[in-house]
Amino acid sequence: MPTTNRRTFMQAAGAGALALAAARQNPAAAAQNPEASRQNLGADADDTLTLGVIGPGGMGSNHLRLLAARRDVRVAYVCDVDRQRLDKAAELAEQTSGRKPQAVTDMRKVLDDKAVDAVFIATPDHWHAPAAILALDAGKHVYVEKPCCHNIREGRLMREAVQRSGKLLQVGTQSRSTDCVREGIQRVLAGEIGEVLVAKAWNSQRRGSIGKSQPTQPPDHLDYDAWLGPAPLVPYRSNMLPGVWRWWYDFGCGDIGNDGVHDIDVAVWGLGVDQHPTTATCLGGKSFFDDDQQFPDTQYAVFEYPAEGAPAGRRKQLIFEQRIWSPYVQEGYENGAAFYGTEGLLVMGHTQGWRLYGPRNKLLAERTGGVDLVAHHQNFFDCIRGKQDQLNADVHAGTLSATLVHLANISARVQRTLRFDPQLEQILADDEANALVGRNYREGGHWSVPRVG
Ligand SMILES: NC(=O)c1ccc[n+]([C@@H]2O[C@H](COP(=O)([O-])OP(=O)(O)OC[C@H]3O[C@@H](n4cnc5c(N)ncnc54)[C@H](O)[C@@H]3O)[C@@H](O)[C@H]2O)c1
């Protein structure tokens, strides 16, 4: 596993000086007002980067809106296996940038074009690692949505592809580039609340039921075989799209890997751990929904790490809680992370702000601030151009948080505590659980099944 110094994140604070301040505070609003963004986002015409956006659906179209509004990049391709979404994306890119991108349904057309410098991948989770690895091996820099991998093994294969290609990979955990979050974490890592022994992340919100469905024909506008890609050839169901694939084992990682992974990522960062845990346990199941969702709607996970530099046997804990049937927030934040230090507490909602308390819950500092997607793009582009030397969410950070997601889901499935070898990335003495470190690909193979070695 590559070892990168997480502390240098803080030195890179202030990334993206060219970005529009308002867009940073509110990327959704900026995405709705591309003209204002176009006038302000980047201006270095000689350094124009040529991009492809793969999977411009929900989140992918947010990326596309912001990217097409920039003058320092050119969206040359949009790629989607859903014709309706592809047409909409091509129209959005043209309206926003004034230039028509090539609209393709096969990502290999994007990857084969030597002029493309980087791709943004916002497909469903089961395509993240296969697409990213192909792109890296094709010589592209990669921005890939979170969780960066659908299982633990694919995370390792992604890191290997980053190493062998020498290309950059940024994971779509934009909190890592959000100034407000960075300041909060900097305070935690600087010792303002003493030694942090425990961090907790939570996902507390009310989701809808996905209902129950029977196999049916996919819609005409969708190339379902291409959508499945390397996944097993299971029949299409009406409650797989749009976005509902998240709740199916073959394609998603549940809400812990969806909204939860953002806060888990923040918790890992502030806890100051730079490796995988050695123990993971999770209890969970479906306490509320009576539908096809395969992942828990109620989930409690604990991970233990050896505490670096502490007396032998001392450990740090990371806790994750999820109740996706709660029409109320927890500790002031719908999704959040809390850091329990020996001298104080910092509670953070990565899209809202944080509060820092000392002994007897005295409020010592607080800050509010929204999420900053533009800054995350900027950090990626600055690193490609050599203007910054540290990606804020590199493949190492991405696989640290994704691995917690996968360990929690595996533990909940087998209903056992797992002993994990952080170097080998194997679950010890439990063949049933260890089999879930990887996945089954479709029978007969597929061109996107990740390359090994
Ligand atoms: N960073 C964030 O804040 C954030 C927010 C929302 C979603 N996400 C992530 O974005 C990803 C997409 O989520 P979504 O809600 O937009 O899903 P979605 O289903 O709405 O969009 C995915 C798109 O990818 C397309 N697609 C599927 N296979 C493809 C392939 N082989 N080639 C090209 N296109 C393909 C689909 O047709 C669809 O248009 C997920 O990984 C999710 O976790 C991140």
Side-chain angles (χ1 to χ4, degrees):
M1 180 184 290
T3 49
T4 19
N5 183 355
R6 244 112 281 281
R7 304 302 182 278
T8 56
F9 286 159
M10 311 319 300
Q11 293 158 9
L18 296 174
L20 178 66
R24 301 184 126 190
Q25 291 309 313
N26 189 347
Q32 297 308 322
N33 187 1
E35 185 52 38
S37 304
R38 177 160 61 237
Q39 288 165 12
N40 292 280
L41 293 177
D44 193 352
D46 296 329
D47 230 2
T48 303
L49 294 170
T50 302
L51 307 181
V53 178
I54 299 173
M59 189 60 190
S61 62
N62 286 338
H63 289 304
L64 179 60
R65 221 172 263 121
L66 291 171
L67 296 171
R70 299 181 68 114
R71 284 184 292 151
D72 63 338
V73 303
R74 182 171 75 91
V75 178
Y77 288 90
V78 288
C79 169
D80 203 298
V81 295
D82 181 328
R83 253 290 148 200
Q84 282 184 353
R85 287 191 150 186
L86 182 65
D87 291 347
K88 256 175 99 175
E91 199 182 312
L92 170 66
E94 187 174 4
Q95 276 176 2
T96 311
S97 68
R99 279 184 300 227
K100 197 174 181 158
Q102 294 202 53
V104 298
T105 53
D106 187 335
M107 68 177 74
R108 288 173 293 184
K109 293 222 169 78
V110 185
L111 305 186
D112 284 347
D113 187 337
K114 297 273 176 273
V116 173
D117 298 297
V119 292
F120 278 63
I121 300 169
T123 58
D125 301 351
H126 70 286
W127 258 111
H128 287 177
I133 291 168
L134 286 169
L136 291 162
D137 284 336
K140 316 300 179 201
H141 301 290
V142 170
Y143 183 113
V144 62
E145 267 307 337
K146 48 77 290 206
C148 64
C149 49
H150 181 252
N151 54 70
I152 295 169
R153 177 177 172 273
E154 286 183 350
R156 171 177 284 258
L157 296 179
M158 277 171 98
R159 290 197 310 272
E160 288 173 4
V162 168
Q163 273 189 333
R164 76 173 165 259
S165 68
K167 296 292 164 186
L168 300 176
L169 185 145
Q170 175 94 306
V171 179
T173 41
Q174 59 269 10
S175 310
R176 292 254 179 182
S177 296
T178 296
D179 197 51
C180 173
V181 176
R182 293 171 72 83
E183 187 198 327
I185 297 295
Q186 187 171 27
R187 285 169 175 263
V188 169
L189 294 176
E192 287 193 29
I193 56 171
E195 190 186 355
V196 177
L197 301 177
V198 176
K200 182 171 78 173
W202 62 90
N203 177 16
S204 171
Q205 59 180 305
R206 183 65 163 254
R207 294 280 185 195
S209 166
I210 72 165
K212 294 184 182 183
S213 69
Q214 294 299 322
T216 183
Q217 283 299 312
D220 286 345
H221 53 84
L222 178 71
D223 180 345
Y224 182 57
D225 187 77
W227 188 94
L228 285 173
L233 292 168
V234 296
Y236 179 79
R237 287 163 174 266
S238 57
N239 60 358
M240 282 165 59
L241 295 179
V244 196
W245 49 262
R246 284 173 171 73
W247 317 123
W248 296 91
Y249 288 146
D250 279 327
F251 316 116
C253 305
D255 218 12
I256 185 176
N258 184 41
D259 272 355
V261 73
H262 282 294
D263 299 286
I264 288 175
D265 177 57
V266 168
V268 168
W269 187 11
L271 190 60
V273 289
D274 200 26
Q275 58 174 322
H276 297 309
T278 48
T279 311
T281 195
C282 181
L283 288 176
K286 288 177 65 179
S287 304
F288 183 77
F289 291 108
D290 178 19
D291 62 8
D292 282 339
Q293 282 191 58
Q294 293 179 312
F295 289 95
D297 58 30
T298 308
Q299 194 166 8
Y300 303 93
V302 183
F303 308 94
E304 282 198 333
Y305 299 83
E308 270 173 43
R314 283 269 292 276
R315 305 175 82 76
K316 288 188 172 193
Q317 287 185 332
L318 193 151
I319 302 166
F320 175 74
E321 291 186 22
Q322 174 166 285
R323 290 173 296 278
I324 54 171
W325 38 265
S326 310
Y328 43 79
V329 303
Q330 182 176 333
E331 300 190 42
Y333 302 112
E334 186 177 76
N335 297 62
F339 302 94
Y340 302 94
T342 49
E343 305 298 329
L345 162 73
L346 188 138
V347 187
M348 177 183 285
H350 72 269
T351 60
Q352 290 174 269
W354 48 261
R355 299 187 303 275
L356 189 155
Y357 302 94
R360 299 189 165 277
N361 291 72
K362 186 173 178 202
L363 183 64
L364 298 178
E366 63 183 318
R367 183 169 169 186
T368 54
V371 75
D372 194 343
L373 188 56
V374 172
H376 208 44
H377 291 177
Q378 189 66 46
N379 169 249
F380 180 52
F381 296 140
D382 282 349
C383 287
I384 292 174
R385 293 186 172 115
K387 293 180 181 174
Q388 281 195 54
D389 58 8
Q390 183 70 57
L391 285 167
N392 289 340
D394 63 11
V395 68
H396 175 67
T399 51
L400 283 185
S401 53
T403 297
L404 300 191
V405 167
H406 302 315
L407 286 174
N409 282 335
I410 294 170
S411 175
R413 276 175 84 168
V414 300
Q415 302 198 344
R416 286 191 288 280
T417 295
L418 310 175
R419 307 276 161 219
F420 192 60
D421 183 322
Q423 269 75 44
L424 294 178
E425 295 177 310
Q426 295 286 302
I427 295 166
L428 303 173
D430 189 334
D431 291 346
E432 184 193 2
N434 200 45
L436 298 172
V437 162
R439 76 161 306 161
N440 291 326
Y441 296 101
R442 69 160 73 184
E443 268 180 42
H446 189 265
W447 52 264
S448 68
V449 170
R451 166 183 163 184
V452 178

